[in-house]
Amino acid sequence: MKSLKKLFLVLFLFTCYLSSAQTSKGDVSSLPIDSKTNCYVRYYYFPNLEAYFDNLELVYHYKVDGQWQKSENLPTNYGGYSLYNKVRVSITDFDGDEPYQLLKTHKKMYPYNSKGRFANQSASASTE
């Protein structure tokens, strides 16, 4: 009887874990909202990669041979880039599905800087 209770407890905990893991990916309500623009902070822009990370879908957006790709990991030619180790800029004015539409603006606002110093670490860009 004790082993049956333990089994049910383990199954219950496992089910809770799976349900929480599923809601964390794709759940817009889990994203922070920028108070100035009233947009979700969905993307990070990486100036030295000219790539984006989507906090909602948990994927990277990057260019390969001129075409935008989407993947959970960066390709090997990006050299094991770390999300939290290098320069990233929070995109606070766009929460659509194609952040690369604003790449030209983001490149001007946040040019590559090897020392990773920007006056403002969040982007609030207008479309051109």
Side-chain angles (χ1 to χ4, degrees):
M1 189 68 168
K2 286 184 182 181
S3 62
L4 188 58
K5 285 183 182 180
K6 287 181 183 179
L7 177 65
F8 281 122
L9 178 64
V10 168
L11 287 175
F12 175 75
L13 292 174
F14 184 69
T15 304
C16 291
Y17 170 76
L18 285 179
S19 65
S20 68
Q22 289 174 351
T23 57
S24 67
K25 185 176 180 180
D27 186 11
V28 176
S29 64
S30 66
L31 297 176
I33 297 177
D34 183 74
S35 59
K36 292 179 184 175
T37 61
N38 205 29
C39 283
Y40 290 104
V41 182
R42 181 174 173 183
Y43 297 101
Y44 290 119
Y45 170 62
F46 299 96
N48 55 337
L49 298 178
E50 294 182 6
Y52 295 88
F53 180 76
D54 185 344
N55 284 312
L56 184 61
E57 295 182 16
L58 303 176
V59 295
Y60 291 92
H61 295 266
Y62 55 90
K63 262 188 181 180
V64 175
D65 297 328
Q67 297 293 319
W68 283 95
Q69 304 292 319
K70 191 164 49 168
S71 174
E72 289 182 4
N73 299 308
L74 288 170
T76 55
N77 62 331
Y78 282 85
Y81 193 85
S82 170
L83 244 183
Y84 301 102
N85 194 17
K86 303 293 181 184
V87 175
R88 68 179 182 191
V89 180
S90 298
I91 304 301
T92 60
D93 67 341
F94 183 81
D95 53 14
D97 290 330
E98 297 175 345
Y100 41 85
Q101 293 174 343
L102 300 174
L103 180 64
K104 199 183 264 189
T105 304
H106 294 150
K107 282 173 66 171
K108 286 180 186 176
M109 290 177 69
Y110 302 100
Y112 171 67
N113 182 338
S114 62
K115 295 183 180 168
R117 296 187 183 122
F118 294 109
N120 181 5
Q121 287 292 101
S122 65
S124 187
S126 60
T127 57
E128 293 184 324

